[in-house]
């Protein structure tokens, strides 16, 4: 009987050192070390991020291997994020993966981080549907680095239908959170304070962008100006209205992306939608999509389990596995890239 491949996935594109081991499509371990140091700086400090990856990578790999209860020798291939991301951080993962591949004489597999967010849906039991989407489907990548609607025809046949012209949705959450006095990353904090808020209390104008592209910078400036004006008349405005402000911001963002996805479904005639990326952890965004899908029977919506929304090694490992099955291996000479490259 053919042995089931075991793949190690290494993710170091931003501020998480993450390593996962998968066998076939089952996750054996998925270790994530968050770099809390960036909280006080209001965003990720690249120099600090790469140094911390360097400090954490060996122990994270060892933990992932131990938890998976395998020996290094059983690993069939090593996959790692080549880009996009912070170059210094990527270099740490890349150097480690190259050495690992040479040391164990196993194939090296590079992974596009954005593609991996989408392919996380092919890990067994990785979404709330407990099954992977059939092709073709629309991938909605909503993360700190990217906001894209992607037509997914096959594992490695993806076409971008729309993307942000300026800020990503995650960055917008983080910057608005900062205005409200929260630390980085602000998305989960906005979600937390939204819980008992009235999402209809404040009305923020939505961007008017034709087609399937997004824009968040105007929305962000609008909210910023609104809060500044209110603070001018009432210095306690944020304190007195925090839940309602957070809920209103969150719901407006949910509606902005839902409207774009609706457009994309009509344009492509594809009604199977898979959410991906850190912002898809947001409860309200998930609910807005689930409710819409309930009312629109054509829609089939796939929502990742929380552990596969924000950056993780398992999404890198599954992409590695899918490439491994097609013998898509890379040479030791590859170098990381910071800016998004087409799939
Ligand atoms: O996918 P991810 O971990 O990293 C990138 O590839 O960028 O996404 C990180 C982003 C951050 O902007 C963070 O604030 C946001 O995801 N995020 C959330 C939530 N959890 C993470 N935004 C809104 N609500 C959340 N619960
Ligand atoms: Zn990511």
């Amino acid at each position: 009987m053919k042995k089931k491949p075991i793949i190690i996935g290494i993710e170091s594109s931003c501020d998480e050192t993450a390593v996962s081991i998968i066998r076939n499509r089952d996750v054996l371990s998925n270790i994530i070390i968050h770099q809390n140091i960036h909280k006080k700086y209001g965003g990720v400090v690249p120099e600090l991020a790469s140094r911390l990856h360097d400090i954490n990578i060996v122990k994270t790999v060892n933990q992932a291997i131990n938890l998976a209860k395998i020996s290094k020798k059983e690993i069939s291939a090593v996959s790692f994020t080549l880009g996009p991301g912070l170059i210094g951080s990527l270099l740490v993962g890349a150097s480690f993966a190259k050495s690992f591949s040479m040391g164990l004489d196993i194939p090296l597999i590079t992974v596009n981080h954005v593609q991996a967010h989408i392919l996380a849906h092919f890990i067994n039991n990785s979404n709330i549907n407990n099954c992977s989407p059939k092709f073709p489907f629309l991938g909605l990548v909503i993360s700190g680095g990217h906001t894209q609607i992607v037509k997914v025809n096959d594992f490695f046949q993806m076409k971008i239908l729309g993307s942000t012209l300026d800020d990503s949705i995650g960055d917008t959450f983080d910057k608005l959170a900062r205005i409200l006095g929260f630390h980085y990353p602000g998305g989960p904090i906005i979600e937390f304070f939204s819980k008992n808020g009235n999402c209809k209390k404040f009305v923020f104008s939505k961007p008017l962008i034709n087609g399937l592209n997004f824009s968040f910078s105007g929305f962000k400036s609008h909210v910023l100006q609104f809060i500044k004006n209110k603070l001018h008349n009432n210095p306690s405005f944020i304190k007195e209205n925090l839940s309602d402000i957070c809920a209103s911001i969150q719901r407006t963002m949910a509606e902005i992306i839902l409207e774009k996805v609706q457009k994309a479904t009509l344009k492509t005639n594809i009604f199977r939608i898979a959410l991906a990326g850190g912002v898809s952890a947001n409860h309200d965004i998930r609910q807005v999509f689930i409710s819409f899908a309930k009312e629109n029977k054509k829609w089939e919506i796939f929502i990742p389990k929380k552990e596969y929304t924000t950056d993780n090694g398992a999404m890198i490992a599954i992409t590695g596995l899918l490439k491994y099955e097609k013998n898509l291996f890379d040479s030791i000479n590859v170098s990381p890239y910071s800016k998004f490259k087409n799939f």
Side-chain angles (χ1 to χ4, degrees):
M1 208 175 72
K2 218 177 147 199
K3 264 179 86 185
K4 293 175 179 170
I6 295 181
I7 310 290
I8 184 168
I10 297 172
E11 157 59 31
S12 72
S13 66
C14 193
D15 58 340
E16 266 96 24
T17 314
V19 181
S20 166
I21 310 276
I22 63 168
R23 176 164 42 214
N24 249 12
R25 295 186 184 184
D26 291 321
V27 172
L28 303 184
S29 62
N30 191 25
I31 308 278
I32 304 175
I33 300 199
H34 301 280
Q35 302 181 351
N36 292 324
I37 196 165
H38 306 288
K39 277 185 180 173
K40 59 181 175 197
Y41 296 102
V44 179
V45 183
E47 167 81 17
L48 294 176
S50 42
R51 282 172 187 274
L52 282 173
H53 284 304
D54 188 46
I55 289 169
N56 290 331
I57 191 131
V58 174
K59 71 173 175 217
T60 318
V61 168
N62 281 334
Q63 274 181 27
I65 291 173
N66 291 340
L67 191 66
K69 296 196 172 60
I70 56 151
S71 91
K72 278 192 199 82
K73 292 200 177 99
E74 291 176 82
I75 298 176
S76 319
V78 52
S79 56
F80 71 100
T81 306
L82 191 63
L86 301 170
I87 208 71
S89 293
L90 290 163
L91 279 165
V92 176
S95 305
F96 184 91
K98 287 178 186 185
S99 317
F100 200 79
S101 140
M102 280 165 64
L104 291 174
D105 197 20
I106 54 174
L108 181 71
I109 301 174
T110 64
V111 171
N112 176 315
H113 180 90
V114 184
Q115 194 161 49
H117 269 300
I118 298 174
L119 293 178
H121 282 278
F122 294 91
I123 299 167
N124 283 341
N125 303 320
S126 63
N127 56 36
I128 59 175
N129 314 49
N130 282 328
C131 69
S132 306
K134 292 203 166 63
F135 300 116
F137 66 90
L138 298 177
L140 173 69
V141 183
I142 40 177
S143 72
H146 302 90
T147 310
Q148 293 181 346
I149 299 177
V150 181
K151 184 173 175 226
V152 185
N153 291 317
D154 206 336
F155 296 127
F156 301 107
Q157 282 176 33
M158 299 191 182
K159 186 173 180 243
I160 297 166
L161 303 180
S163 52
T164 183
L165 302 173
D166 39 61
D167 302 333
S168 73
I169 184 167
D171 190 52
T172 308
F173 263 111
D174 296 336
K175 293 219 173 98
L176 290 176
R178 203 169 162 183
I179 292 165
L180 296 173
F182 303 144
H183 61 66
Y184 172 86
I189 308 177
I190 291 193
E191 173 177 335
F192 177 80
F193 284 105
S194 297
K195 268 182 197 133
N196 300 316
N198 173 4
C199 66
K200 303 262 177 258
K201 174 88 176 275
F202 302 111
V203 178
F204 302 120
S205 56
K206 295 181 199 159
L208 297 169
I209 304 290
N210 284 334
L212 298 180
N213 287 331
F214 299 87
S215 164
F216 289 99
S217 70
F219 167 73
K220 198 177 63 193
S221 312
H222 172 64
V223 177
L224 173 63
Q225 203 50 52
F226 168 85
I227 291 174
K228 267 191 183 161
N229 292 345
K230 291 286 184 185
L231 283 175
H232 187 72
N233 299 327
N234 172 13
S236 308
F237 174 73
I238 294 181
K239 217 167 141 200
E240 287 167 9
N241 295 280
L242 189 57
S243 295
D244 296 339
I245 299 171
C246 288
S248 302
I249 289 174
Q250 185 176 260
R251 180 57 61 90
T252 312
M253 297 229 252
E255 288 172 355
I256 292 171
I257 52 174
L258 177 68
E259 283 163 23
K260 284 289 174 186
V261 174
Q262 271 178 274
K263 262 193 182 177
T265 58
L266 298 176
K267 195 169 172 197
T268 57
N269 221 18
I270 298 171
F271 296 89
R272 204 175 289 125
I273 299 117
L275 269 58
V279 179
S280 69
N282 185 279
H283 180 72
D284 193 55
I285 293 180
R286 293 159 89 94
Q287 272 325 112
V288 163
F289 274 80
I290 291 170
S291 306
F292 188 85
K294 267 195 189 136
E295 284 165 22
N296 294 271
K297 299 292 173 216
K298 270 187 170 179
W299 273 48
E300 194 187 356
I301 185 96
F302 293 79
I303 306 222
K305 287 188 180 155
K306 291 265 174 94
E307 61 265 41
Y308 302 118
T309 54
T310 47
D311 291 349
N312 62 87
M315 68 185 202
I316 308 303
I318 187 72
T319 310
L321 174 74
L322 296 168
K323 284 192 161 186
Y324 181 85
E325 287 169 349
K326 293 179 188 295
N327 286 329
L328 294 171
F329 304 142
D330 292 283
S331 103
I332 211 88
N333 299 325
V334 289
S335 14
Y337 54 89
S338 57
K339 289 218 164 66
F340 178 80
K341 279 189 190 166
N342 226 335
F343 299 121

